[in-house]
Amino acid sequence: MAKARAWQRMLSGRRLDLLDPSPLDIEIEDIAHGLAFVARWNGQTTGDFPYSVAEHSLLVEEIYGQIATRPLPRWRLAALLHDAPEYVIGDMISPVKAAIGPGYAALDIRLAQAVHLRFGLPATLPAPVKAQIKRADRVSAWIEAVRLAGFTLEEADRFFGDARAAGLEGRALTLRPPAEVKQAFIARFEDLMRDCEPR
């Protein structure tokens, strides 16, 4: 029986097989472009522009750098790329992911592993690093929920934990046009890749 394929054509000209992604078909420009145009919170945020996954990823990387015990450049890069699969599968809220079931998680993992390998990271991150990135992600979600998505402090605490413990509850958020966010994401990626090079 022939193996199933689910191809996605990228603006770079690459064709990515979503079911069996190859690191060779992944380009940072495609990731940055896709994430800059994917809205967090299903677009249910205040402001003149959607709050994009690219903007969220920049915030998570920044928060990770503040709360991690050893924020090495390669792990900061992993934090920046933590939602990279969403450049092709979109951002779904947790209840929808749960309803779809394990198939969504498996797809997300395969794409994340291909992204990691493409940019010199281990396919599977060390558990402590993954846990610290997840904590930064939850702090970011708390800030976004309160600042942009209309959550009360109590609701944000209940769903995401208390960001005040990290001392980042006052963090302002940026809303920018997608093209600007894309360039900021690429610039930060390039800085981190330079920092990862052996000296």
Side-chain angles (χ1 to χ4, degrees):
M1 179 177 283
K3 189 174 175 183
R5 300 272 181 198
W7 296 102
Q8 170 72 49
R9 188 185 186 290
M10 301 292 144
L11 287 178
S12 65
R14 297 280 189 188
R15 284 171 50 88
L16 181 67
D17 183 349
L18 303 184
L19 301 179
D20 187 19
S22 166
L24 299 175
D25 292 325
I26 293 171
E27 299 291 345
I28 195 60
E29 291 81 8
D30 292 329
I31 292 173
H33 182 85
L35 296 184
F37 281 88
V38 173
R40 292 263 297 161
W41 306 96
N42 284 339
Q44 299 301 306
T45 52
T46 59
D48 294 332
F49 299 102
Y51 187 74
S52 71
V53 175
E55 200 77 78
H56 163 77
S57 298
L58 288 162
L59 179 60
V60 169
E61 185 269 324
E62 178 186 328
I63 292 170
Y64 174 80
Q66 294 174 20
I67 67 174
T69 20
R70 293 188 68 219
L72 299 175
R74 68 190 315 223
W75 305 138
R76 291 189 78 143
L77 177 62
L80 181 69
L81 297 171
H82 80 284
D83 276 340
E86 294 180 8
Y87 87 106
V88 287
I89 59 176
D91 180 39
M92 292 188 202
I93 57 175
S94 296
V96 174
K97 290 178 185 176
I100 292 172
Y104 178 89
L107 178 61
D108 185 76
I109 288 167
R110 281 194 301 273
L111 285 163
Q113 289 175 337
V115 168
H116 288 171
L117 293 173
R118 171 67 175 87
F119 300 117
L121 297 168
T124 302
L125 299 177
V129 171
K130 189 171 181 178
Q132 289 177 325
I133 292 172
K134 185 63 182 168
R135 181 170 178 236
D137 193 26
R138 291 179 71 77
V139 170
S140 175
W142 187 98
I143 295 168
E144 294 164 22
V146 170
R147 295 271 179 269
L148 298 174
F151 284 56
T152 65
L153 296 178
E154 295 74 23
E155 288 170 330
D157 288 349
R158 187 168 66 247
F159 289 111
F160 308 110
D162 187 353
R164 288 166 284 204
L168 298 166
E169 70 277 7
R171 172 68 165 75
L173 295 180
T174 307
L175 292 173
R176 301 181 272 186
E180 191 176 322
V181 180
K182 174 183 174 179
Q183 291 310 311
F185 186 95
I186 290 171
R188 186 60 185 143
F189 169 84
E190 289 172 348
D191 287 346
L192 290 168
M193 287 297 283
R194 273 192 298 274
D195 291 344
C196 288
E197 291 173 0
R199 301 194 186 276

